[in-house]
């Protein structure tokens, strides 16, 4: 980090505290090398001979600058004249071994020549560590290799993807300590060849890939990385592979920009094309696994096919191998939403996708590629081709945001003047484009995806000013539910409707066991883990405020089943609590959740058999929406991993996901001891109540003319959701006032991969009687539309 900001005089403990107060929580502080390694020093082998009593041992005479020592060594990669790492007698190694003077096969050994693995610099080593020739003798190895460093382990919130790098944290340190931030000059020595003559880049989907930068480096020498690079990667939890691969990982950790190195000779036609997968069904990734592709997944292709899944993982067909001599370095900017969607569909998360999902700096892609080229030039003797292949059709324009210092002071309870606010923005590299008597118009840097509104800038002001400097004020007590009468009335009606469906209301504690959330297999990066922890919990099972109503309801269900109550329907209306980074108070959001299992109807001779299923809960939710003058849509996507794929749906309101409904996954059910199928749902109420409040109830007179009913059945692909076809049909004509699915059929009599969907259509004209000719004309157009849009066939 000291390459980018002056850290002299800064204590690591103090830096950790100030970073934490600025919103970057430091979870742990450690040393890159244990202090005990200060005793491991550089020495020179002055003589080397075979051990007289053992063929696989050598007798080394080494000089440490003060005296000569006899060392018995089992390695074979050294020779006389090499500089090595000597652990004198009394040295304690990271693995717990203490070096003692001993006799090995009758020869006294006064120390140990160490490998990098024995010193904890890498996972495994083939021999002892050979130091640079001419190194000062008797010098501690950690000082010689500049490995005396402090490692800060940070827990970065999802909105601060810019801090998933050394440079990002260095920027924060520079802003906190009011020190200059600098980017060292990149020094390339381009060869005679031009990159544009060696490779070509095309972007077919600039909406998903606004920028793609390529750098060509030739005549590489593939080898191990130097020790300093291995040590830094290991400190970050990254395994060293080779100098080429290690450089791409190192630059990602340094800049936050994921890179990928393609073997240029394996790229057919020496061309890169970025496009959607389309009809391509599968792809084999670097880990050797064949993965099924979604048509919308963005792929990196060469002249004949795919070579990588964009922003996630490279392919086996273009990986760096022992024969690699020429590479194309990829440094790109992919739309975060696209990478997030593809990673979720593939169930594949990588260090690269983790960063792309949160957004990378589109203006730093070229520098990252140059930095990788510089390291390959220095560490792999590569020859860098002239110029970069930089495809950037539409440069990203950052939004202008107006901020009023008076509003910042009002929200924060401070009295900051214009100069103080301006100083904070300059330290954060937020460009001030206009200053008026009311405030500033600013442009955030390209790497700050989280700065969109005035309130975001106000949060930046208090982060740098110091949360501990904000005066403490007494909280005002209010009850919004009592004050907001329309919402209270809606909630009362919702409860009545749910109870009419046979559900009973449960009231659980707002405190839960965090393990209960883990058992539901929610995504670790989701807000379900944004816990508000209690300072003095009653027990470990009530240690955090709940982020979902489901753990409490599932526990209620378990208690009922334990006492042989098998037909259970429970619901709860309550608030979930989500911790907000940098804010004292959590976000409190009103939710409705329910669980059900057992028979659909009560035990009676007149009641048909059948267990409650997905459609029972879907029907309940549709009825609740109708009472609120809303229309909910259900999309076959499993946002809750605790639900069974294919038996779950996301609940949508105006293209916004507001909840999920489905069958509990059998693995989760086993953890609760459930033998029966369990159905559940959870839905946010705030969006529903907001839209309902704005809904206008209209009335229509009774129809004077009869309706016309027609049934249509279509043979379509089994993967096509009935809801999509139903939505399409309902929009086709104003005289088509109703459409419902009344039959779904799949079986051996139908072609493989096909299903039959049957719809009942209702036509009605409020002003006259409809004729068969008119209805038939509408149906003809409808059938043609289904054939074109869904490739359906009328049965």
């Amino acid at each position: 980090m000291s390459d980018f900001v002056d850290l002299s005089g800064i204590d690591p403990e103090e830096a950790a505290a100030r970073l934490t107060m600025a919103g970057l929580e430091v979870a742990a502080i450690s040393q890159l090398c244990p202090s005990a390694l200060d005793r491991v020093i550089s020495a020179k082998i002055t003589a080397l001979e075979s051990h007289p009593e053992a063929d696989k041992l050598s007798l080394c005479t080494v000089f440490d600058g003060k005296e000569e020592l006899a060392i018995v060594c089992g390695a074979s990669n050294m020779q006389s004249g090499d500089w090595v790492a000597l652990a004198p007698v009394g040295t304690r190694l990271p693995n717990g071994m203490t070096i003692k003077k001993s006799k090995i096969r009758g020869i006294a050994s006064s120390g140990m020549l160490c490998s990098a693995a024995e010193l904890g610099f890498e996972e495994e080593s083939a021999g002892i560590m050979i130091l640079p020739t001419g190194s000062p003798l008797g010098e501690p190895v950690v000082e010689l290799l500049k490995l005396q460093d402090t490692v800060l382990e940070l827990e970065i919130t999802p909105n601060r993807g810019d801090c998933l790098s050394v440079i990002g944290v260095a920027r924060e340190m520079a802003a906190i300590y009011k020190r200059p931030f600098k980017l060292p000059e990149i020094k390339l020595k381009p060869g005679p060849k031009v990159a544009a003559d060696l490779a070509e880049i095309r972007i077919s989907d600039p909406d998903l890939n606004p920028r793609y930068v390529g750098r060509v480096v030739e005549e590489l020498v593939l080898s191990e990385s130097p020790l300093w690079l291995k040590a830094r990667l290991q400190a970050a939890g990254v395994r060293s592979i080779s100098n080429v691969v290690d450089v791409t990982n190192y630059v990602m950790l340094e800049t936050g920009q994921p890179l990928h190195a393609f073997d240029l000779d394996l790229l057919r036609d020496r061309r890169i094309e970025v496009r959607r997968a389309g009809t391509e069904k599968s792809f084999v990734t670097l880990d050797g696994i064949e993965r099924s592709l979604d048509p919308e997944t963005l792929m990196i292709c060469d002249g004949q096919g795919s070579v990588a899944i964009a922003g996630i993982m490279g392919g086996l067909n273009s990986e760096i191998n022992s024969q690699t001599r020429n590479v194309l370095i990829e440094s790109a900017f992919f739309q975060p939403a696209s990478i997030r969607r593809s990673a979720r569909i593939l169930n594949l998360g990588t260090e690269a996708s983790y960063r792309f999902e949160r957004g990378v700096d589109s203006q730093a892609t070229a520098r990252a590629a140059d930095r990788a080229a510089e390291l390959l030039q220095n560490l792999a003797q590569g020859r860098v081709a002239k110029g970069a292949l930089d495809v950037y059709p539409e440069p990203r324009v950052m939004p202008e945001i107006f901020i009023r210092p008076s509003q910042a002071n009002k929200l924060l309870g401070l009295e900051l003047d214009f100069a103080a606010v301006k100083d904070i923005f300059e330290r954060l590299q937020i460009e001030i484009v206009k200053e008026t008597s009311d405030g500033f118009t600013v442009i955030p840097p390209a790497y700050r995806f989280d700065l969109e509104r005035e309130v975001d800038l106000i949060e930046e002001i208090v982060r740098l000013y110091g949360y501990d400097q904000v005066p403490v004020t007494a909280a005002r007590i209010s009850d919004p539910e009592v004050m907001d009468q329309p919402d209270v009335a809606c909630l009362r009606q919702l409860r009545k409707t749910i109870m009419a469906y046979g559900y009973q209301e449960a009231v659980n504690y707002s405190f839960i066991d965090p393990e209960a959330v883990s058992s539901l297999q929610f995504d670790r990066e989701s807000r379900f883990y944004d816990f508000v922890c209690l300072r003095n919990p009653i027990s470990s099972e009530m240690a955090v405020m709940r982020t979902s109503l489901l753990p409490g309801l599932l526990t209620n269900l378990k208690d009922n089943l334990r006492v042989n109550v098998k037909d259970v329907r429970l619901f709860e209306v309550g608030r979930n609590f989500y911790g907000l980074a940098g804010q004292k108070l959590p976000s409190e959001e009103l939710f409705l959740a329910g669980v059900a299992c057992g028979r659909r109807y009560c035990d009676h001779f007149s009641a048909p058999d059948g267990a409650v299923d997905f459609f029972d809960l879907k029907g309940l939710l549709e009825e609740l929406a109708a009472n609120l003058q809303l229309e909910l849509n259900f999309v076959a996507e499993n946002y809750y991993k605790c639900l069974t794929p294919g038996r779950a749906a996301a609940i949508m309101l105006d293209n916004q996901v507001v909840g999920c409904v489905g069958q509990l996954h059998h693995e989760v059910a086993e953890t609760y001891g459930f033998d029966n199928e369990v159905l559940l749902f959870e839905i946010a109420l705030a969006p529903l109540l907001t839209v309902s409040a704005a809904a206008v109830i209209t009335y229509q007179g009774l129809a004077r003319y009869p309706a016309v009913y027609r049934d249509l059945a279509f043979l379509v692909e089994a993967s096509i959701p009935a809801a999509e076809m139903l939505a399409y049909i309902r929009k086709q004509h104003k005289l088509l006032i109703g459409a419902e699915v009344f039959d779904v059929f799949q079986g051996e009599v139908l072609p493989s991969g096909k299903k039959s969907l049957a719809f009942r259509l209702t036509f009605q004209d409020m002003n006259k009687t409809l004729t068969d000719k008119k209805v038939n004309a509408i149906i003809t157009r409808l059938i043609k539309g289904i054939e074109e849009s869904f490739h359906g066939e009328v049965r």
Side-chain angles (χ1 to χ4, degrees):
M1 194 187 301
S2 57
D3 294 338
F4 310 103
V5 61
D6 179 16
L7 298 178
S8 59
I10 297 178
D11 177 68
E13 295 283 349
E14 180 204 353
R18 296 192 66 173
L19 281 171
T20 299
M21 287 302 297
L24 304 181
E25 182 181 355
V26 178
I29 305 175
S30 61
Q31 295 301 313
L32 183 59
C33 297
S35 58
L37 290 185
D38 291 343
R39 297 197 60 183
V40 180
I41 59 175
S42 58
K44 180 181 178 182
I45 299 177
T46 58
L48 179 66
E49 56 187 277
S50 298
H51 193 292
E53 300 296 331
D55 295 337
K56 294 185 179 181
L57 297 178
S58 300
L59 180 58
C60 304
T61 302
V62 300
F63 180 62
D64 64 3
K66 295 180 180 179
E67 59 178 332
E68 285 194 336
L69 301 169
I71 309 289
V72 177
C73 183
S76 60
N77 66 314
M78 68 286 189
Q79 59 187 2
S80 181
D82 280 346
W83 266 255
V84 293
L86 169 64
V89 173
T91 303
R92 184 177 177 84
L93 298 180
N95 60 9
M97 178 192 298
T98 300
I99 306 301
K100 299 178 181 179
K101 187 172 182 178
S102 60
K103 281 190 176 183
I104 302 176
R105 295 290 184 94
I107 302 295
S109 182
S110 301
M112 177 178 174
L113 302 185
C114 302
S115 68
E118 288 164 335
L119 297 179
F121 296 157
E122 57 186 30
E123 292 184 2
E124 57 184 28
S125 300
I128 65 170
M129 184 167 57
I130 307 299
L131 300 176
T133 301
S135 300
L137 295 174
E139 186 88 4
V141 170
V142 292
E143 293 184 14
L144 185 67
L145 299 177
K146 298 181 179 179
L147 297 177
Q148 288 180 315
D149 212 343
T150 301
V151 178
L152 302 182
E153 183 180 332
L154 286 85
E155 295 185 354
I156 305 299
T157 53
N159 66 316
R160 291 305 305 271
D162 60 297
C163 289
L164 293 170
S165 65
V166 174
I167 286 179
V169 179
R171 272 193 296 251
E172 289 290 306
M173 289 288 288
I176 291 169
Y177 283 93
K178 301 183 181 181
R179 298 189 178 187
F181 172 77
K182 61 182 184 297
L183 289 174
E185 180 185 358
I186 294 176
K187 298 178 181 179
L188 295 176
K189 301 173 184 176
K193 296 183 181 180
V194 179
D197 297 334
L198 301 173
E200 178 188 4
I201 295 174
R202 299 177 186 173
I203 299 178
S204 299
D205 287 293
D207 54 328
L208 301 184
N209 176 208
R211 189 177 191 184
Y212 194 106
V213 177
R215 265 286 186 183
V216 176
V217 184
E218 296 187 302
E219 301 178 26
L220 294 166
V221 177
L222 207 69
S223 64
E224 287 191 19
S225 296
L227 187 59
W228 67 265
L229 181 54
K230 289 182 179 180
R232 290 190 176 186
L233 289 176
Q234 186 170 352
V238 178
R239 181 173 60 90
S240 175
I241 298 175
S242 68
N243 53 355
V244 175
V245 177
D246 289 354
V247 161
T248 60
N249 288 329
Y250 180 76
V251 174
M252 178 187 69
L253 294 172
E254 180 182 86
T255 66
Q257 170 67 55
L259 302 179
H260 187 72
F262 295 102
D263 187 320
L264 186 58
D265 298 319
L266 296 180
L267 293 179
R268 292 156 292 191
D269 301 335
R270 290 203 163 200
R271 185 173 81 226
I272 286 289
E273 181 178 357
V274 188
R275 60 170 174 79
R276 288 175 168 88
T279 57
E280 192 171 0
K281 299 298 183 183
S282 63
F283 179 70
V284 180
T285 47
L286 277 172
D287 52 8
I289 298 175
E290 184 174 359
R291 302 183 185 275
S292 299
L293 298 177
D294 180 83
E296 294 299 309
T297 297
L298 194 65
M299 303 296 293
I300 308 298
C301 308
D302 61 8
Q304 299 181 32
S306 297
V307 292
I309 302 175
I312 300 177
M313 186 178 283
L316 200 60
N317 56 356
S318 62
E319 72 171 332
I320 303 301
N321 57 73
S322 59
Q323 305 301 317
T324 298
R325 294 295 175 266
N326 308 307
V327 299
L328 174 69
I329 302 169
E330 168 196 279
S331 179
F333 173 73
F334 302 113
Q335 284 294 352
S338 170
I339 303 302
R340 190 180 306 116
R341 177 182 181 276
S342 297
R344 186 179 68 246
I345 291 174
L346 292 167
N347 193 26
L348 177 62
T350 62
E351 289 285 347
S353 66
Y354 189 82
R355 286 164 172 78
F356 278 124
E357 288 176 27
R358 287 152 180 76
V360 299
D361 185 358
S362 59
Q363 295 180 7
T365 51
R367 178 181 171 82
D370 291 346
R371 174 62 170 149
E374 178 189 39
L375 289 172
L376 291 178
Q377 168 188 275
N378 298 336
L379 303 181
Q381 294 80 56
R383 302 187 67 178
V384 182
K386 289 182 181 177
L389 302 169
D390 190 352
V391 183
Y392 200 7
E394 298 181 10
R396 181 167 168 242
V397 178
M398 297 301 294
E400 291 188 354
I401 308 171
F402 183 73
I403 177 170
R404 299 158 292 170
S406 59
Q407 179 67 6
N409 288 329
K410 179 180 177 182
L411 290 179
L412 302 176
L414 301 175
E415 296 181 0
L416 299 176
D417 56 22
F418 272 48
V421 174
K422 190 173 182 179
D423 172 65
I424 289 174
F425 287 162
E426 289 174 350
R427 287 153 56 192
L428 291 170
Q429 300 181 32
I430 297 174
E431 181 185 359
I432 299 176
V433 295
K434 185 178 180 181
E435 181 177 348
T436 66
S437 59
D438 295 329
F440 303 101
T441 300
V442 303
I443 299 178
Y447 51 81
R448 291 300 302 271
F449 283 77
D450 57 322
L451 302 183
E452 300 176 343
R453 304 168 298 165
E454 181 183 38
V455 70
D456 298 329
L457 296 174
I458 293 174
E459 182 181 1
E460 292 301 293
I461 292 173
V462 72
R463 275 200 324 111
L464 268 291
Y465 181 76
Y467 290 110
D468 54 342
Q469 301 299 314
V470 177
V472 177
T473 56
R476 290 180 297 177
I477 300 176
S478 62
D479 189 340
E481 287 194 3
V482 173
M483 297 169 60
D484 195 353
Q485 292 301 325
D487 283 3
V488 173
C490 285
L491 291 175
R492 187 181 299 114
Q493 182 59 40
L494 284 178
R495 285 183 167 96
K496 287 182 178 179
T497 302
I498 299 174
M499 287 188 286
Y501 272 71
Y503 284 73
Q504 299 182 56
E505 184 171 6
V507 180
N508 288 297
Y509 285 113
S510 298
F511 319 127
I512 62 170
D513 184 351
E515 291 301 320
V517 175
S518 300
S519 68
L520 293 180
Q521 301 181 358
F522 289 121
D523 188 346
R524 281 283 174 183
E525 300 303 318
S526 68
R527 65 198 307 231
F528 293 104
Y529 290 90
D530 293 340
F531 293 127
V532 178
C533 300
L534 301 185
R535 183 171 296 176
N536 292 305
I538 299 173
S539 69
S540 61
E541 296 179 354
M542 305 179 76
V544 300
M545 303 292 284
R546 66 187 177 196
T547 54
S548 171
L549 301 177
L550 294 177
L553 287 173
L554 289 172
T555 301
N556 300 149
L557 176 60
K558 180 179 180 180
D559 292 339
N560 278 274
L561 293 175
R562 181 169 49 83
V563 295
N564 209 33
V565 178
K566 297 181 179 180
D567 302 326
V568 181
R569 297 185 188 185
L570 297 172
F571 79 95
E572 183 171 7
V573 176
R575 297 188 182 278
N576 290 334
F577 302 83
Y578 305 98
L580 300 176
Q583 296 190 26
K584 188 174 182 180
L585 296 178
S587 170
E588 301 183 26
E589 300 179 21
L590 193 62
F591 275 77
L592 165 67
V595 296
C597 76
R599 291 170 299 192
R600 178 177 290 112
Y601 302 107
C602 62
D603 189 11
H604 192 269
F605 69 89
S606 65
D609 293 332
V612 64
D613 61 19
F614 171 86
F615 296 100
D616 290 302
L617 271 68
K618 180 173 178 284
L620 168 62
L621 293 169
E622 289 174 333
E623 179 65 22
L624 294 177
N627 287 344
L628 295 175
Q629 308 299 315
L630 305 174
E631 182 176 354
L632 296 177
N633 295 313
F634 297 83
V635 180
E637 289 194 42
N638 190 2
Y639 284 97
Y640 283 20
K641 292 185 178 180
C642 62
L643 300 181
T644 304
R647 298 186 180 182
I651 307 169
M652 310 287 291
L653 175 66
D654 296 336
N655 298 319
Q656 176 189 358
V657 178
V658 294
C660 211
V661 58
Q663 180 181 322
L664 189 66
H665 197 283
H666 67 89
E667 293 180 357
V668 180
E670 288 177 1
T671 64
Y672 280 92
F674 298 152
D675 296 327
N676 301 335
E677 292 183 355
V678 175
L679 285 300
L680 57 84
F681 68 87
E682 185 168 34
I683 186 169
L685 287 179
L688 276 63
L689 297 177
T690 300
V691 176
S692 176
V696 178
I697 300 176
T698 59
Y699 298 89
Q700 181 175 297
L702 295 175
R704 297 174 57 192
Y705 303 95
V708 176
Y709 302 95
R710 296 289 174 87
D711 293 344
L712 281 178
F714 295 95
L715 190 65
V716 295
E717 293 290 337
S719 60
I720 294 177
E724 287 188 15
M725 293 186 65
L726 197 60
Y728 176 84
I729 292 172
R730 287 171 174 170
K731 296 178 181 178
Q732 293 311 298
H733 201 280
K734 64 180 181 179
L735 296 180
L736 178 58
I737 64 169
E740 299 295 337
V741 178
F742 73 86
D743 185 55
V744 180
F745 176 72
Q746 284 182 277
E748 296 180 357
V749 298
L750 298 181
S752 177
K754 299 285 187 176
K755 68 180 177 182
S756 173
L757 293 177
F759 301 89
R760 177 151 296 147
L761 311 180
T762 304
F763 299 87
Q764 191 169 48
D765 191 330
M766 301 298 290
N767 300 314
K768 60 184 177 181
T769 301
L770 280 175
T771 63
D772 286 341
K773 181 178 180 180
K774 179 67 174 177
V775 173
N776 291 338
I778 298 173
I779 289 178
T780 300
R781 288 197 298 270
L782 174 61
I783 292 172
K784 184 178 180 181
I786 293 292
E787 291 173 345
E788 293 176 352
S789 300
F790 299 93
H791 306 292
E793 300 177 20
V794 179
R795 294 191 69 195

